[in-house]
Amino acid sequence: TEVASAMAEAVRRQAATDFGLAVSEATRVDDSTQLVVIALAGAHGTQTKRISTFGDPEFDRLRTAKVAMNLLRLAMLKQG
């Protein structure tokens, strides 16, 4: 989670934006499951979300993108 958080914070700082979003590389948990960390940096700190992937690259990519975009959407709604 530290790597994804650092990436999101760097994106936010270097791009001078309200939010920075980053997705870590998948890390193997066991034979069939991998873990991806999504980080969102904003004015109120950095939050992370861990999601499991299941080996179907196309499905996993789409699911990860949807979760990341939803995390950003919810933060933007909260910001007002």
Side-chain angles (χ1 to χ4, degrees):
T1 60
E2 293 86 17
V3 172
S5 294
M7 289 180 351
E9 290 163 6
V11 166
R12 180 173 183 260
R13 185 176 52 257
Q14 291 176 10
T17 59
D18 292 337
F19 297 100
L21 186 63
V23 178
S24 73
E25 186 175 9
T27 305
R28 185 164 298 283
V29 176
D30 58 38
D31 289 340
S32 62
T33 306
Q34 294 185 344
L35 183 69
V36 172
V37 178
I38 300 167
L40 179 67
H44 302 293
T46 303
Q47 58 182 318
T48 59
K49 185 166 183 74
R50 295 179 181 151
I51 62 169
S52 297
T53 62
F54 301 101
D56 179 345
E58 182 67 20
F59 176 80
D60 293 341
R61 224 179 348 264
L62 291 172
R63 181 169 175 262
T64 300
K66 287 178 182 179
V67 171
M69 291 295 102
N70 191 52
L71 191 62
L72 177 59
R73 180 186 70 84
L74 293 173
M76 290 173 72
L77 287 171
K78 197 182 272 189
Q79 185 181 33

